[in-house]
Amino acid sequence: MIDALTLAVGVTALALAVWCGHAAYRDQPTKDWHFIGMAVVSVLALVQLVVGVVQLARGERPVKGTALFVAYLLGAAACVPGAGFMSLAERTRWGSATVAAGAVILAVLQVRLYDIWGG
């Protein structure tokens, strides 16, 4: 895995979590700007998915198992978009809290992906 990309996904996910957590604290739903932030984080996670699959196709293998690594990659790519869709259904402060929680989960998944790859 590319360490800088993993770090970038984790940091942007935490920034999104703080931003949406602040909106939830102020009793605000997710707004258009939040969805732009979710799109940025989601694109980074998709880039990481593609990089991971390409590295697997080139013959590189994670230390703790390919199936586990692929499962975490797919979960990381789906984490923030899933939380974003749930926030559309809940247009209250809890929608913002849901996105914040999804972003924190993505940051934790980044740490786990780094560990699975052998970092």
Side-chain angles (χ1 to χ4, degrees), residues 2-113:
I2 300 173
D3 294 342
L5 180 59
T6 302
L7 182 64
V9 175
V11 169
T12 56
L14 288 176
L16 179 65
V18 169
W19 188 23
C20 290
H22 183 22
Y25 175 75
R26 291 183 7 212
D27 202 22
Q28 295 178 343
T30 50
K31 298 193 171 144
D32 291 342
W33 289 107
H34 294 117
F35 286 100
I36 292 170
M38 286 183 256
V40 169
V41 172
S42 296
V43 166
L44 285 173
L46 286 174
V47 167
Q48 185 181 41
L49 172 69
V50 169
V51 167
V53 168
V54 166
Q55 286 184 328
L56 290 173
R58 288 180 21 204
E60 299 177 38
R61 295 288 175 241
V63 172
K64 296 188 179 176
T66 303
L68 184 65
F69 179 72
V70 170
Y72 271 88
L73 275 178
L74 292 173
C79 190
V80 170
F85 281 119
M86 286 195 296
S87 77
L88 284 173
E90 184 63 44
R91 297 300 295 177
T92 64
R93 71 185 290 176
W94 297 109
S96 295
T98 300
V99 174
V104 168
I105 291 169
L106 178 59
V108 171
L109 288 174
Q110 295 307 303
V111 173
R112 187 69 180 121
L113 276 168

